[in-house]
Amino acid sequence: METALPPNKTIKWGIIGCGNVTEIKSGPPYKLTEGFDLIAVMRRDEAKVKDYAKRHQIKKYYTNAEALINDTDVDAVYIATPPDTHKFYALKVAKAGKICCIEKPMTPSYKDS
């Protein structure tokens, strides 16, 4: 599956896990970086994800990670969940043929990665 994007294309991002880290540290750059458009977020708690999306003017929100990953409008996924779920979500993003960003290691060991 082809993952390369045409030159000068805006990358439409989704974030899985929109907790405290994405509020002030890693979330704002996805809205402020030229060529990036943060269009979707996911959190299991519907009230919290709806509030997050509203406060950050994000068009779509999900309570199911696979729905965000498989959203045809989303080009790339930032995984901002606890480290023990990074590999699980990264493999789903890879299977969908999308760009994946994980701030921390995908697994606790090189061998597991």
Side-chain angles (χ1 to χ4, degrees), residues 10-28:
T10 297
I11 300 171
K12 295 181 276 182
W13 284 90
I15 296 178
I16 297 175
C18 50
N20 291 336
V21 166
T22 65
E23 284 285 350
I24 57 172
K25 182 181 172 194
S26 59

Side-chain angles (χ1 to χ4, degrees), residues 9-15 29-40 56-59 73-76:
K9 180 188 185 314
T10 297
I11 300 171
K12 295 181 276 182
W13 284 90
I15 296 178
Y30 283 83
K31 294 222 21 127
L32 301 172
T33 300
E34 186 175 336
F36 281 20
D37 186 12
L38 179 56
I39 66 160
H56 296 280
Q57 296 86 45
I58 299 168
K59 301 170 194 167
D73 290 333
V74 173
D75 299 317

